[in-house]
Amino acid sequence: MLPMGSVLVWVDGQPAWRGPFEQGVDVTVPVLPGRHRVDVRIDVEGLFARDRSYEVDVPGPTRLDLHYSRFWGSFSKQVTPRPGP
């Protein structure tokens, strides 16, 4: 049986969310407009972990799309911001 993984998200150094890796992530984190650091980590019960950090300018309600490649075992190098709630 393969171990289950977790996704961890920090915003500006503060824990913002933790949940299962298998179903993907759709989470809302309220922040004020401005520059923010978003850190993400996938942790598969000590077998491996992948981390990536992003600096994001948030002008107002913004949705960030982040992709993880199971084939390559890594996060995309950039997030895709788009207007949203």
Side-chain angles (χ1 to χ4, degrees):
M1 182 170 156
L2 292 173
M4 298 297 146
S6 295
V7 177
L8 297 92
V9 178
W10 293 267
V11 177
D12 298 328
Q14 299 298 312
W17 190 83
R18 179 185 181 118
F21 169 66
E22 291 75 21
Q23 300 302 315
V25 175
D26 187 2
V27 62
T28 300
V29 179
V31 297
L32 295 173
R35 190 158 186 82
H36 298 279
R37 180 182 170 110
V38 177
D39 297 295
V40 292
R41 178 181 183 90
I42 290 180
D43 186 358
V44 180
E45 296 184 12
L47 291 179
F48 75 90
R50 296 293 185 263
D51 300 285
R52 183 77 71 176
S53 296
Y54 304 92
E55 294 288 330
V56 181
D57 289 314
V58 177
T62 303
R63 182 175 184 89
L64 301 176
D65 292 333
L66 168 65
H67 299 277
Y68 180 85
S69 169
R70 290 182 186 206
F71 180 77
W72 293 107
S74 63
F75 291 102
S76 56
K77 292 182 180 178
Q78 295 181 352
V79 293
T80 303
R82 56 188 171 100

